[in-house]
Amino acid sequence: MSPSGGALLTDLYQLTMLHGYFERGMEEEAVFEFFVRDLPEERGFLVAAGLEQVLEYLQTLRFTDEDLRWLAAQGNYPSRFIDYLRDFRFAGDIHAMPEGTVFFAQEPVLRVCAPLPQAQFVESRLLNLLHFQTLIASKAARCALAAPGKFLVDFGMRRSHGAEAALLAARASYLAGFAGTSTVLANPRFGIPVFGTMAHSYVMVHESEAAAFEHFAHCQPDNVVLLIDTYDTEAAARKVAALVPRLAERGIAVKAVRLDSGDLADHARRVRAILDEAGHPGIHIFASGNLDEYALQDIARADAPIDGFGVGTKLDTSGDHPYLDCAYKLQEYAGTPRRKRSEGKSTLPGRKQVYRRLDGEKRMCGDEVTLEREERSAEALLEPVMRRGHPLRRRDLGQARELCRLQLAALPTHLADLDTAPAYPVGISPELLALAEEIDRIPT
């Protein structure tokens, strides 16, 4: 399973439009931009993610012999079109915000400049890749802000929507500040640290809870994290405390205990007291179980002695807001700006840039969307990442992770506190608005 997908992983109308452009010889340069129309409720910002998979997809886009045989068998496409697809490649330019960049509604995150058939055909997969990782990275960033300094692990594979979603959620959450994931394939695929403990079933199949703990410790001497809420949480903590000296004689240390149910803050206080009284203040407490940024914030405000968290279902599905109102729209064709005027879905025409201003404390204080040709004494967020189908210098995942950390540190205070009021200011340049008005006067 490739995270970039193949040529037929698309919507059917991309093929029908591609055929139409081919028949009419429409090969002039088209400019499309990816953006989010409106932020979901209770989302004051988003984090750009998925660009690396987009570049991989564009660089390797091919119709295989198997693809072409299937298309020919449908009877909808002439042989000359099938022959055209045999050599179909993406040879355009891409400008994009680097992965890890914080952005807001109506800001172009990625711009495609390519011959019309190429720029149009890639729409569905680009939306698919950018939408999902941006969605998860934005949720993960909120978790990181809600639990500063805590050890966060993605636990969501089992509830994610398929294999690719599980892998890309692990990647997006790591980019946004998580320490790692429980999804093993994320390590060989992306170099993300992987972590795991034990399940309740492991405890239940042993003759006693203490035997389960001791057996696990001997099998995993470098990773002794014991799940203690299968039966009685505080009783299990006492069993762990009693086990520690025996394990120490064999050179084995208990790293942490894990809580997975009940009132996590209350249990953590009780367990911490038990471990401390037994002389084991170095054993950490790790918690999981139906967590999201709101639960993490509540636990932080309760000052619970929990050192790390496993965040699963609500992260990997972005449970409270499972989609973004994102779009990939034509902004220019054959050198002429284009503008969609649909009610509630109108677009701003032309190739654009986003400039960001910082205040005296180096915090974001306002963005402006301009035409590309305009210049501002501020930071330009869109940068070239692909030229003529060849990727330029790429940021690796570690660099994207560091950029995201810096971006979150530069958020206005109210957004860093997960508060969405007041909204972050995003202005539209007068020249861009004037161009839109000019196009609106042109008869259609």
Side-chain angles (χ1 to χ4, degrees):
M1 186 274 297
S2 168
S4 64
L8 295 187
L9 184 56
T10 189
D11 290 308
L12 180 61
Y13 81 164
Q14 305 296 358
L15 287 165
T16 59
M17 287 189 288
L18 185 59
H19 182 210
Y21 297 148
F22 168 77
E23 293 293 348
R24 296 296 300 272
M26 300 176 71
E27 293 277 350
E28 297 287 343
E29 184 177 69
V31 178
F32 284 78
E33 291 177 347
F34 170 89
F35 60 96
V36 174
R37 291 191 181 97
D38 296 294
L39 297 182
E41 292 182 10
E42 300 180 356
R43 290 285 190 280
F45 65 90
L46 298 172
V47 174
L51 177 61
E52 184 64 24
Q53 282 63 51
V54 164
L55 296 178
E56 179 184 349
Y57 165 71
L58 295 175
Q59 187 179 22
T60 61
L61 178 59
R62 305 284 188 277
F63 285 87
T64 66
D65 290 341
E66 183 179 358
D67 295 338
L68 297 173
R69 285 193 296 270
W70 182 87
L71 287 167
Q74 303 313 298
N76 299 325
Y77 309 106
S79 59
R80 64 182 183 278
F81 179 61
I82 301 298
D83 290 339
Y84 164 77
L85 293 182
R86 196 176 305 279
D87 296 321
F88 187 83
R89 304 288 187 272
F90 182 82
D93 298 342
I94 304 292
H95 287 69
M97 292 184 185
E99 288 191 283
T101 301
V102 164
F103 72 95
F104 304 90
Q106 296 298 324
E107 298 183 340
V109 177
L110 177 140
R111 181 171 72 238
V112 175
C113 301
L116 175 61
Q118 300 171 26
Q120 177 70 73
F121 181 76
V122 301
E123 172 191 12
S124 296
R125 186 57 168 153
L126 262 63
L127 277 164
N128 175 255
L129 289 167
L130 292 172
H131 170 266
F132 180 71
Q133 286 202 66
T134 294
L135 185 73
I136 304 306
S138 302
K139 182 77 169 175
R142 289 166 60 82
C143 292
L145 289 169
K150 301 297 184 181
F151 190 86
L152 302 180
V153 179
D154 159 44
F155 267 21
M157 176 188 168
R158 63 187 59 198
R159 303 269 174 75
S160 63
H161 297 161
E164 182 180 73
L167 272 176
L168 295 185
R171 183 182 186 276
S173 59
Y174 182 71
L175 183 157
F178 274 47
T181 180
S182 65
T183 304
V184 175
L185 187 56
N187 182 267
R189 183 66 59 86
F190 301 124
I192 298 172
V194 292
F195 302 95
T197 61
M198 60 169 64
H200 293 288
S201 56
Y202 185 90
V203 175
M204 294 166 66
V205 298
H206 285 78
E207 63 275 14
S208 70
E209 197 171 34
F213 294 159
E214 189 161 8
H215 182 201
F216 185 85
H218 286 296
C219 290
Q220 297 288 322
D222 297 323
N223 182 40
V224 185
V225 180
L226 304 173
L227 180 62
I228 63 171
D229 69 333
T230 304
Y231 306 117
D232 182 304
T233 301
E234 284 71 35
R238 295 185 183 92
K239 294 172 187 174
V240 171
L243 177 62
V244 169
R246 296 204 303 274
L247 293 178
E249 292 175 358
R250 295 174 176 251
I252 300 172
V254 176
K255 284 186 177 181
V257 294
R258 175 181 156 212
L259 308 174
D260 191 53
S261 58
D263 185 329
L264 296 175
D266 182 61
H267 280 305
R269 292 189 194 95
R270 295 172 184 269
V271 169
R272 182 76 275 156
I274 291 168
L275 295 175
D276 288 352
E277 288 171 7
H280 310 307
I283 297 178
H284 295 295
I285 298 177
F286 186 83
S288 57
N290 207 30
L291 298 175
D292 61 9
E293 68 267 41
Y294 304 107
L296 295 178
Q297 190 173 65
D298 289 344
I299 291 171
R301 288 172 175 170
D303 198 26
I306 300 176
D307 304 289
F309 299 92
V311 188
T313 302
K314 292 183 180 181
L315 170 65
D316 284 37
T317 64
S318 189
D320 57 336
H321 293 291
Y323 71 92
L324 298 173
D325 184 14
C326 58
Y328 176 90
K329 296 301 178 185
L330 180 71
Q331 313 294 1
E332 179 183 301
Y333 178 60
T336 302
R338 307 289 170 134
R339 169 169 157 84
K340 180 181 175 181
R341 305 182 202 172
S342 305
E343 184 178 351
K345 292 186 176 182
S346 63
T347 61
L348 293 167
R351 308 179 190 210
K352 292 180 279 297
Q353 180 58 273
V354 181
Y355 287 98
R356 174 160 296 162
R357 293 179 293 108
L358 303 178
D359 63 18
E361 297 180 349
K362 302 298 183 182
R363 289 188 177 272
M364 304 171 192
C365 61
D367 291 1
E368 185 182 18
V369 181
T370 72
L371 290 169
E372 183 189 30
R373 62 176 176 260
E374 298 184 71
E375 294 185 2
R376 296 289 188 270
S377 57
E379 179 187 6
L381 299 185
L382 290 165
E383 62 180 36
V385 294
M386 176 173 273
R387 185 170 293 123
R388 297 177 183 175
H390 298 287
L392 303 177
R393 182 184 65 85
R394 291 179 174 177
R395 284 183 169 90
D396 63 27
L397 184 54
Q399 291 172 313
R401 176 179 165 88
E402 175 62 12
L403 176 62
C404 186
R405 185 189 69 79
L406 295 173
Q407 292 271 298
L408 295 180
L411 279 172
T413 303
H414 69 281
L415 293 184
D417 291 338
L418 309 185
D419 184 3
T420 59
Y424 182 84
V426 177
I428 308 299
S429 77
E431 188 173 345
L432 177 52
L433 291 173
L435 178 61
E437 291 175 2
E438 178 185 333
I439 292 175
D440 286 350
R441 292 192 290 270
I442 300 174
T444 59

